Amino acid sequence: MVPEEASRLLDDDILPLIAEANQLAGRIHPILRDSIGDLVRSMNCYYSNLIEGHDTHPRDIDRALANDFSAEPKKRDLQKEAVAHIHVQQLIDTGRDPDAWPASAAYASWLHEEFCSRLPPEMLFVTDHKTGERLEIIPGAWRKRDVDVGRHLPPPHEDLPRFIARFDTAYGSPPLSKTRQIQTVGAVHHRFLWIHPFLDGNGRVARLMSHALYKRLGIGTSLWSVARGLARDEERYKALLAQADGPREGDRDGRGNLTQRGLIEFCKFFLDRSVDQIRFMSGLLEPTTLLTRMEIHVEEEVRSKRLMRGSFAVLREAVMNGEVERAKIPSLTGYEERGARNVTSGLVERGMLTATSHRAPLRLAFPADVAERWFPNLYPANAGSRHDR
């Protein structure tokens, strides 16, 4: 459950993860961090859906968050699935999740119930590929029948209580040191998927659990997500998961029933993908280059008369100070009060700025079409193409 040699073999991966996560968290204004969190949750949802084979266009996710659902049933169901995922991650990011340790049966059950209870009824069924029987998914409930996942045969359903209890003991009590816990995030992810306690939804629960676990360990924030890294290397992700399912390979391959060598390799991959995503977001959020990308885009919009001159000055203030006081907008733009209001209205209508009320300070927002310009490579160039077909 916890690789015996992890402390030595994974140390080199731990140090950059901690250092770069702290650097990224300290670089961004707390208010701006909330805005970027909204964007990252949508991104995380997109990539987690992609791993599940559900390719939802980022703009469809935006529309769903604005309660604008497609008339086409399949697309509408995928939109509702996206909203459910984002809701659960927002609870995690804002500290409104349970006190239970994320690597625990109680937390896994909460994740599954919180997510599945928000799905449309049509999505709460799976079909047994052997019998053709239609099986109902009960939110938060362990499976009551045996399943197979590709070539992997998870434990029989009657043995789940024993395996779940072992999961809790290994990862929650007695508590591991912080370093060991960080090293073990990948192991938690794999072992949960190996047990496969739910009839469906185990992959999504495992990724949300990893996100929550990183956050509790002081590494994860709303500014980055490992799901993007896993999805962009999906073939290797799934291959290493399968490799870690293998049996122990002799006396030097740990003391459990499963291969320690395979588990350590998956843990290293998981840590590597985590560092890669922190570095990716750090590059995108570097203030000077971010402002340059924003300025180029806004100048194009001004030339096309979709925004007014002075718009970039307002957006720059939001980047540097987290928000913009409405009273400052005339001085920022050089317009009188009426012209300044028009600048503000244009930015709000385009979704670039948002506020909790018509008098509250304005903060940045990142609708999908804007995110594509300000945050290049956040999504793949063909985002949503499989679904569109």
Short mmCIF file of all heavy atoms in Angstrom, two decimals, residues 11 28 90 344:
data_model
loop_
_atom_site.label_atom_id
_atom_site.label_comp_id
_atom_site.label_asym_id
_atom_site.label_seq_id
_atom_site.Cartn_x
_atom_site.Cartn_y
_atom_site.Cartn_z
N ASP A 11 12.44 10.88 -3.41
CA ASP A 11 12.85 12.15 -2.81
C ASP A 11 13.13 13.24 -3.83
O ASP A 11 12.77 14.40 -3.64
CB ASP A 11 14.11 11.95 -1.94
CG ASP A 11 13.76 11.51 -0.52
OD1 ASP A 11 12.56 11.53 -0.20
OD2 ASP A 11 14.67 11.15 0.24
N ILE A 28 0.44 34.82 -7.10
CA ILE A 28 -0.84 35.33 -7.58
C ILE A 28 -1.60 36.02 -6.45
O ILE A 28 -1.70 35.51 -5.34
CB ILE A 28 -1.68 34.19 -8.16
CG1 ILE A 28 -0.89 33.41 -9.21
CG2 ILE A 28 -2.98 34.71 -8.75
CD1 ILE A 28 -0.43 34.23 -10.38
N GLN A 90 -15.22 22.73 -6.50
CA GLN A 90 -15.30 24.03 -5.84
C GLN A 90 -15.48 23.86 -4.33
O GLN A 90 -14.92 24.62 -3.53
CB GLN A 90 -16.45 24.84 -6.41
CG GLN A 90 -16.50 26.27 -5.89
CD GLN A 90 -17.50 27.12 -6.64
OE1 GLN A 90 -18.59 26.65 -6.98
NE2 GLN A 90 -17.16 28.37 -6.90
N THR A 344 -16.57 49.71 -18.98
CA THR A 344 -16.88 48.64 -18.03
C THR A 344 -17.95 47.71 -18.58
O THR A 344 -17.83 46.48 -18.52
CB THR A 344 -17.36 49.25 -16.70
OG1 THR A 344 -16.35 50.12 -16.19
CG2 THR A 344 -17.64 48.16 -15.68
#
